[in-house]
Amino acid sequence: MKKTTTALVAGILTALPWAVMAEDSSDPIVIPVHNWSSQIVMSNVVGQIFEEMGLNVEYVTTDSQAVYESVRLGDVTLEMEVWEGAFGASFRAAMEKGGIVDVGDHDAVTREDWWYPMWTKEACPGLPSWEALNDCAELFQTAETGEKGRYLDGPVDWLKHGQERVEALDMDFVVVNAGSAAALWAEIGAAEADQKPIVVFNWTPNFAEAVWPGEFVEFPTWVDGCDKDPSVGPNPDALYDCGNPADGYLKKAAWDGMEDKWPSAYAVLEKISFTNPQIAEMARLVDVDELEPEEAAEEWLATNEDVWRSWVE
Ligand code: TMO
């Protein structure tokens, strides 16, 4: 008899989502946002899913490297986009110290590296090899860079080590850091009119691939340790003498106290997995359609209900 009652109660509990949610703290889940569109929109998408579940959410703008220390300390609760190329080292360092957990990979496969719009290849047909790019360095000269070619790298906090790579591979390029992601898109847009050869930092998934066909420069293949051990990579005396991983991961990470404090939110976070086209679309809603990130997230949730409902139910 008692057994039946217990089973009945358990049955009711699983049928009522709010009964499960009552276990979650009413403190806000703190979601960090950074300086590229897909991450900001994805963070809002996930925040709005949590709000839909009756949870409280707060967004904070943080540095994209320092965030791993913040997650580890529980100052922020999670990170939606751990890109292997840009953040693998900071993520691994935080994992070694403890306090941060790997909540699994998105379906997406990522790449971040030197990139050019296709018209550049007409002027430098040996591309995408980095050696061919280097032989064409003079095509990329500017007043600012003198005899050397100009490479517009990402904002400094993405730590792409462009300058170290130029030195390690003895390239005739000067690395200039963009102030923002928008400066990269402005650079490509400005070069488009007269098909001026340019080489800039870019990544996939991103909206840009649908707007400007292009290719990544092929550097020496990434090998684990290329950023830690000089003997790894073609230059035996230098770090960063490899390209970024060409099939990098995109992970979710969380504070290791999240699962106890917000168990149903954590269970949803474990299930969340975005694909390349979904992430490119999140960026497109902001960078092409010019929606605010919150609106872009609302729009994405409205058109992709079939995707995210299954994570919540
Ligand atoms: C970190 N990012 C995706 C902008 O390369």
Side-chain angles (χ1 to χ4, degrees), residues 153-172:
D153 207 344
V156 280
D157 66 303
W158 298 348
L159 279 186
K160 300 315 304 178
H161 302 285
Q163 189 57 45
E164 289 96 324
R165 191 184 300 173
V166 160
E167 284 161 22
L169 296 175
D170 196 20
M171 295 177 74
D172 297 321

Side-chain angles (χ1 to χ4, degrees), residues 34-39 64-65 81-87 110-113 154-155 157-158 160 181 184-185 201-206 250:
H34 309 305
N35 52 355
W36 67 97
S37 300
S38 69
Q39 196 275 348
S64 63
Q65 302 287 345
E81 286 195 7
V82 186
W83 290 66
E84 181 173 8
F87 311 117
T110 65
R111 186 167 185 184
E112 307 157 79
D113 227 319
D157 66 303
W158 298 348
K160 300 315 304 178
L184 298 170
W185 320 139
F201 179 69
N202 197 354
W203 60 90
T204 184
N206 192 4
L250 185 68

Side-chain angles (χ1 to χ4, degrees), residues 221-256:
T221 306
W222 167 259
V223 187
D224 264 340
C226 193
D227 56 349
K228 287 245 165 63
D229 178 355
S231 74
V232 173
N235 180 338
D237 303 315
L239 301 177
Y240 306 112
D241 48 338
C242 303
N244 285 306
D247 52 356
Y249 63 65
L250 185 68
K251 282 185 182 294
K252 305 161 286 177
W255 170 50
D256 71 359

Side-chain angles (χ1 to χ4, degrees), residues 8-75:
L8 189 63
V9 170
I12 291 169
L13 283 177
T14 46
L16 300 174
W18 56 86
V20 178
M21 243 139 270
E23 296 173 24
D24 287 51
S25 169
S26 61
D27 289 352
I29 296 171
V30 182
I31 303 181
V33 291
H34 309 305
N35 52 355
W36 67 97
S37 300
S38 69
Q39 196 275 348
I40 304 172
V41 175
M42 188 192 295
S43 297
N44 277 267
V45 162
V46 172
Q48 289 176 25
I49 292 174
F50 290 160
E51 282 174 341
E52 168 92 12
M53 294 164 63
L55 302 170
N56 294 312
V57 169
E58 187 179 299
Y59 301 95
V60 289
T61 299
T62 80
D63 180 277
S64 63
Q65 302 287 345
V67 72
Y68 296 96
E69 189 65 12
S70 307
V71 173
R72 197 177 80 69
L73 299 173
D75 295 339

